[in-house]
Amino acid sequence: MRISLSIILLISSIGATLPLQDKVWRPAPRKPEATRVLLVTGGHEHDVDFYSLFDDPGLRTIVDPHPAAFSGDIRRKHDVLVLYDMIRTLDETRRSNLRAFAESGKGIVVLHHAICANVDWPWWYEELLGGRYLFEPVGGKLSSYEHDRVQTITTVADHPVTRGIGTFRLIDETYHHLWISPAVKVLLRSDDPTSDGPVAWISPYARSRVVYIQLGHDRQATLNPRYRQLVHQAIAWAAGKSN
Ligand SMILES: [Zn+2]
C-alpha cells in the first residue's frame, strides 16, 4: 500500500512539471471593417436561432437588453442599432439617449415585434419609424397578428436593402391594421390577406438611415437564406456601406 501511494505521488509530480501540449485557442479575427452593431432584445420571447443572424464575419455585435441598453450614451461604440425588443415605454433619460443616437446620423434597423415598442412616444413612431402597432383602437383600427402564414413576399422598390431579394415564399407571422405613415417608402409587400401588405419600408426620418422589416417571428423566417440576406443588407445600408 505504501509503495503504490509513492508511485502515484511520483507520477503526479512528473505530470505537474510537463509543459502544456495545447496552444491557447482564439477565434478567427473579425474583419477590421466589420460593422459595430448594438442588438437590443427583451420583452418578447424568441428562438435562439435569431442570434445566428449576427454570427457573421462582417459584424461585430454586442447584445444588451432593453431598457439597460439605453442607460448611457450609445453613439461612440456602435455604428448601427438593431432593435428586436418589445417593451412599450421608455423613461425620459433612455429616450434621450436613443434619440441622440438617431440624431447623430447612425443607422437603425427595426425588426418585427420591435414595432410594438415605444408605442406611447409619438416622435418615435411618427417621425423615426413611420409605423406603430395599435394596442388600443385608433380611428376604429386595432392591430392584430396571425402566426405561421405561408406567404409570397415581393420586392416593390429598387433599393440597396432589397437588391437581389426578388420574390420569395416564407412562413411567418403577419400583422394587420398597423398604423403606417403615408411618408414611408415601401420595399416589400406580402400577398397574405391577413397582412396589411407593406412588410418592409424606409422611414421618412431624414437625419439617419432607418429601415423597418416586419418579418422575423421565428426560425422559419430567421433561418431563411433570403431573410438573412435582407437583414444583412439592411444593416449594411444603415451603416452607410451601400447606396
Ligand atoms: Zn412575432
Side-chain angles (χ1 to χ4, degrees):
M1 186 63 189
R2 220 170 38 231
I3 293 167
S4 52
L5 182 61
S6 308
I7 292 170
I8 289 167
L9 286 171
L10 179 64
I11 290 169
S12 19
S13 73
I14 291 169
T17 56
L18 281 174
L20 284 170
Q21 295 301 305
D22 60 335
K23 293 181 183 166
V24 175
W25 181 88
R26 283 207 169 112
R30 294 209 168 86
K31 290 180 183 169
E33 71 278 15
T35 302
R36 300 172 306 163
V37 173
L38 173 61
L39 171 60
V40 180
T41 57
H44 196 298
E45 62 178 22
H46 48 280
D47 278 330
V48 71
D49 306 79
F50 169 76
Y51 293 96
S52 71
L53 273 168
F54 301 89
D55 190 8
D56 183 278
L59 303 176
R60 191 185 300 271
T61 304
I62 297 294
V63 184
D64 204 3
H66 179 134
F70 312 117
S71 299
D73 189 339
I74 52 175
R75 290 171 291 188
R76 193 174 55 81
K77 282 168 59 182
H78 312 288
D79 305 315
V80 173
L81 182 60
V82 178
L83 300 175
Y84 196 63
D85 58 328
M86 200 195 104
I87 293 175
R88 296 191 198 182
T89 195
L90 262 185
D91 64 39
E92 283 304 324
T93 302
R94 291 177 173 87
R95 277 185 182 181
S96 94
N97 286 326
L98 182 48
R99 186 165 177 158
F101 184 86
E103 290 178 346
S104 75
K106 298 208 163 188
I108 302 178
V109 178
V110 181
L111 298 176
H112 191 58
H113 52 237
I115 199 171
C116 307
N118 301 320
V119 289
D120 59 350
W121 189 11
W123 175 81
W124 179 261
Y125 59 77
E126 284 174 4
E127 294 186 38
L128 185 116
L129 184 55
R132 177 189 176 199
Y133 192 93
L134 304 176
F135 287 102
E136 314 292 339
V138 175
K141 277 208 317 187
L142 184 67
S143 299
S144 60
Y145 59 88
E146 200 147 332
H147 288 127
D148 299 323
R149 300 294 298 185
V150 181
Q151 45 196 306
T152 299
I153 307 298
T154 305
T155 299
V156 294
D158 181 33
H159 192 276
V161 171
T162 50
R163 207 155 282 158
I165 296 296
T167 297
F168 63 105
R169 299 270 282 167
L170 186 73
I171 303 171
D172 199 9
E173 183 180 14
T174 53
Y175 290 160
H176 204 202
H177 291 147
L178 297 178
W179 175 78
I180 301 174
S181 165
V184 303
K185 178 187 175 73
V186 177
L187 301 180
L188 298 175
R189 293 186 72 89
S190 167
D191 70 337
D192 194 280
T194 68
S195 167
D196 287 319
V199 289
W201 62 73
I202 303 298
S203 106
Y205 187 68
R207 295 180 71 167
S208 64
R209 294 181 165 194
V210 181
V211 54
Y212 175 61
I213 298 171
Q214 189 225 284
L215 309 169
H217 174 73
D218 63 16
R219 63 203 302 270
Q220 297 179 106
T222 59
L223 295 182
N224 182 301
R226 212 70 73 90
Y227 180 80
R228 297 170 80 84
Q229 182 185 345
L230 181 66
V231 172
H232 290 160
Q233 290 180 174
I235 293 171
W237 177 76
K241 293 182 174 176
S242 64
N243 284 297

